[in-house]
Amino acid sequence: MTSTGRQALGVDVGGSGVKGAIVDLDTGELVGERFRIETPQPATPDAVAQAVAEVVRHFGWTGPLGVCYPGVVVDGVVQTAANVDQSWIGCNAEEIYSKALGGQRVTVLNDADAAGLAEQRYGAGRNRNGVVVLLTFGTGIGSAVIHHGMLLPNTEFGHIEVEGKEAEHRAAASVMERKGWSYRKWTKQVTKVLVAVENTIWPELIIAGGGISKKADKWIPLLKNRTPVVAAQLLNTAGIVGAAMAAAEEQSAG
């Protein structure tokens, strides 16, 4: 399928699944069903590229294509690899994906950045012009910072030190699960991380994403930081939507 109207294909590469969908860029909604396959193990560059190519071929897509990756990406080159094979580091992801797709152009960005872009345009950050921070709470903590609709790429607030411990080692959702904490006990640690972030950049709004955002009513009211915190609205589609957005914007600019 080629692009019709304002549409693009977004693919979200995660530690367990590679999922994609066509996105209506006027609404931020998926066009048809999402398609998902398991992330290959080990998740080497070539193996993941073939999985991404399988997702793209499923849709028969030749228009704007964006892929979000679980790590830092600078000018298409991977700098970190937390939940995929370490051989990714130093690889040009855009070139690897493009080669697997017979030369098709691909835009690659960090997965939390993609989610932040999507939430800012279509979700919880909509109509906000100040600094908006998205934090995804999962195995680790991902982050995105957006100001007046512009993304500051590759922020890594999950790795800042908070009272002698890395933020995601203190307050990721996985920490609560592993230690069997209550929401009340966990949110004390989340509050410490949020205070450290807001003392650094003074955001207007913090958006909480990740799977645990589905249960936001159980824990967001327990937070004690000063900045308003709201749950992400796009949930598991945010990475796909943001990747599609980034591709459409970059590729239309030439």
Side-chain angles (χ1 to χ4, degrees):
M1 180 186 295
T2 55
S3 174
T4 58
R6 283 178 41 79
Q7 295 183 355
L9 180 65
V11 180
D12 185 350
V13 174
S16 59
V18 178
K19 44 199 180 291
I22 298 168
V23 178
D24 181 329
L25 296 172
D26 291 323
T27 65
E29 296 175 350
L30 304 190
V31 179
E33 294 294 316
R34 190 184 72 162
F35 179 69
R36 182 188 187 278
I37 59 176
E38 296 294 311
T39 300
Q41 301 300 331
T44 61
D46 286 341
V48 172
Q50 290 304 316
V52 169
E54 183 180 340
V55 172
V56 176
R57 285 194 295 266
H58 170 82
F59 294 99
W61 186 259
T62 58
L65 169 61
V67 180
C68 61
Y69 166 87
V72 174
V73 182
V74 179
D75 296 327
V77 178
V78 172
Q79 306 295 324
T80 64
N83 295 309
V84 291
D85 196 80
Q86 292 294 304
S87 59
W88 270 103
I89 296 174
C91 288
N92 189 313
E94 292 182 351
E95 290 181 359
I96 290 168
Y97 291 140
S98 180
K99 182 179 178 182
L101 289 160
Q104 185 173 352
R105 186 175 174 186
V106 184
T107 298
V108 180
L109 72 163
N110 170 266
D111 55 357
D113 283 346
L117 285 172
E119 285 291 336
Q120 195 274 336
R121 181 169 301 175
Y122 305 109
R126 201 170 172 184
N127 300 321
R128 299 275 188 161
N129 289 320
V131 174
V132 175
V133 174
L134 173 125
L135 296 173
T136 57
F137 294 90
T139 304
I141 297 176
S143 63
V145 176
I146 296 169
H147 182 230
H148 290 299
M150 297 294 293
L151 172 71
L152 176 65
N154 294 310
T155 55
E156 290 283 287
F157 287 142
H159 300 302
I160 63 173
E161 185 177 305
V162 179
E163 295 185 6
K165 185 179 289 188
E166 199 166 301
E168 64 180 27
H169 295 163
R170 179 178 292 283
S174 60
V175 174
M176 178 176 66
E177 293 165 11
R178 186 172 67 251
K179 296 190 175 184
W181 286 350
S182 65
Y183 283 114
R184 187 169 297 279
K185 186 168 184 177
W186 177 64
T187 52
K188 288 180 181 178
Q189 301 304 316
V190 175
T191 294
K192 291 179 181 180
V193 171
L194 298 185
V195 169
V197 170
E198 65 192 6
N199 283 348
T200 303
I201 61 170
W202 285 77
E204 174 184 313
L205 179 72
I206 295 174
I207 301 172
I212 201 163
S213 64
K214 296 176 186 174
K215 300 176 181 177
D217 60 321
K218 296 182 182 296
W219 62 274
I220 286 181
L222 302 174
L223 295 169
K224 304 297 185 184
N225 63 301
R226 66 173 177 267
T227 307
V229 180
V230 297
Q233 293 178 3
L234 276 69
L235 302 176
N236 289 336
T237 69
I240 291 172
V241 173
M245 282 173 58
E249 290 174 9
E250 179 182 293
Q251 295 175 29
S252 67

